[in-house]
């Protein structure tokens, strides 16, 4: 079967760095997405990786290793507003999205 | 874990026809379901929120007569795109939430790719 694994919850301190991991097993691969979702709001697109390596976008970076079925989202200089759920999703060979359950990130002062 | 399915996975239709997309929660009862559109590498745009047994709440700019939503049971919501046009071509994603609180987890479906010729 297809599945995406990511931690259920993580806690970090304001100003620090946090890495949210995502491992996947899917039938085919057409890219991996990271979304941020605040409670009661629609998911916001953060990144899309289809090739191996690290992509940096401001305070957020996303890494992909296709051979390992692994990605991480790195958040630097954490701010209180970064408290949210972070969703990992993989597009499979049929261009369907396979979703992780999301990681709830709690930022403490 | 909770699973949400969508049917069909993809559909191609002629301009002017109507298309129905189903969203099902397979192992839980979803009090609330959401319908989104996704454009390539962009955020999900919330179209409407539907609560079982009541009318859907549409976001600003979404035509309720064009995008008909029915949430007839706690496990099924349908989105019907009426008189589809090429600009309606998109990836439609639904999600389902078991509870009523914003903090309750949403579970997302795999999406339906609609192409209108």
């Amino acid at each position: 079967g297809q599945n995406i694994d990511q931690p259920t919850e993580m806690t970090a301190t304001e100003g620090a760095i946090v890495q949210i991991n995502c491992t996947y097993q899917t039938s085919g691969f057409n890219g991996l997405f990271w979304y941020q979702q605040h409670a009661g709001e629609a998911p916001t697109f953060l990144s899309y990786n289809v090739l191996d390596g690290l992509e940096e976008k401001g305070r957020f970076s996303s890494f992909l290793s296709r051979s390992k079925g692994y990605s991480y989202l790195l958040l630097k200089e954490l701010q209180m507003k970064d408290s949210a759920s972070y969703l990992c999703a993989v597009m499979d060979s049929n261009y369907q999205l396979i979703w992780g359950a999301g990681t709830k990130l709690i930022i403490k002062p | 874990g909770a699973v949400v399915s969508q049917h069909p996975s993809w559909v191609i239709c002629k301009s002017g026809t109507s298309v129905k997309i189903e969203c099902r929660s397979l192992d839980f009862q979803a009090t609330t379901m959401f319908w989104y559109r996704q454009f390539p590498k962009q955020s999900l745009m919330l179209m409407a929120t539907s609560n079982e047994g009541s009318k859907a709440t549409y976001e600003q700019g979404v035509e309720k007569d064009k995008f008909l939503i029915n949430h007839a049971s706690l496990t099924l919501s349908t989105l019907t795109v009426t008189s589809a046009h090429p600009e309606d071509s998109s990836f439609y994603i639904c999600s389902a939430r078991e509870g009523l609180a914003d903090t309750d987890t949403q579970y997302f479906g795999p999406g339906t790719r609609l192409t209108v010729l």
Side-chain angles (χ1 to χ4, degrees):
Chain A
Q2 306 198 96
N3 68 284
I4 309 279
D5 287 317
Q6 52 181 130
T8 305
E9 187 174 295
M10 298 181 72
T11 303
T13 306
E14 190 176 14
I17 299 173
V18 72
Q19 177 175 309
I20 302 174
N21 295 325
C22 171
T23 57
Y24 63 90
Q25 290 178 307
T26 58
S27 55
F29 179 83
N30 277 300
L32 184 145
F33 296 80
W34 282 100
Y35 290 91
Q36 178 193 62
Q37 187 179 29
H38 288 99
E41 298 180 13
T44 302
F45 171 80
L46 293 178
S47 66
Y48 172 72
N49 294 67
V50 67
L51 298 176
D52 289 350
L54 182 70
E55 290 203 11
E56 299 184 72
K57 198 184 294 184
R59 294 190 298 116
F60 292 9
S61 303
S62 57
F63 171 83
L64 174 68
S65 169
R66 288 172 297 171
S67 62
K68 294 181 180 178
Y70 168 70
S71 172
Y72 67 73
L73 180 69
L74 191 71
L75 292 77
K76 302 176 185 175
E77 301 168 19
L78 286 171
Q79 302 174 9
M80 297 304 292
K81 67 178 182 179
D82 297 329
S83 292
S85 285
Y86 291 85
L87 303 167
C88 172
V90 171
M91 188 160 279
D92 69 10
S93 56
N94 293 318
Y95 295 93
Q96 296 269 275
L97 282 173
I98 313 301
W99 294 85
T103 298
K104 184 178 180 181
L105 178 62
I106 300 167
I107 309 297
K108 295 184 176 179
Chain B
V3 178
V4 174
S5 70
Q6 285 184 237
H7 178 80
S9 302
W10 56 270
V11 57
I12 301 173
C13 69
K14 292 182 179 179
S15 185
T17 60
S18 295
V19 174
K20 180 186 281 188
I21 302 170
E22 293 184 349
C23 176
R24 292 182 186 272
S25 56
L26 297 185
D27 49 4
F28 68 101
Q29 293 186 324
T31 309
T32 306
M33 287 184 169
F34 304 86
W35 286 96
Y36 299 90
R37 281 182 76 165
Q38 184 200 43
F39 295 96
K41 300 183 188 180
Q42 293 188 28
S43 297
L44 302 186
M45 185 196 82
L46 179 64
M47 299 175 65
T49 302
S50 73
N51 292 302
E52 186 267 339
S54 63
K55 289 185 179 180
T57 303
Y58 290 81
E59 296 299 303
Q60 192 171 10
V62 178
E63 298 176 59
K64 62 180 180 181
D65 294 329
K66 180 168 183 61
F67 298 99
L68 300 178
I69 291 172
N70 185 289
H71 192 163
S73 77
L74 286 171
T75 58
L76 174 65
S77 176
T78 60
L79 168 69
T80 301
V81 183
T82 62
S83 187
H85 290 284
E87 57 265 30
D88 298 324
S89 297
S90 189
F91 197 43
Y92 292 87
I93 298 169
C94 75
S95 70
R97 190 177 69 193
E98 193 167 7
L100 293 174
D102 286 348
T103 51
D104 289 328
T105 302
Q106 281 186 38
Y107 298 95
F108 289 84
T112 296
R113 193 167 299 279
L114 171 63
T115 302
V116 185
L117 302 176

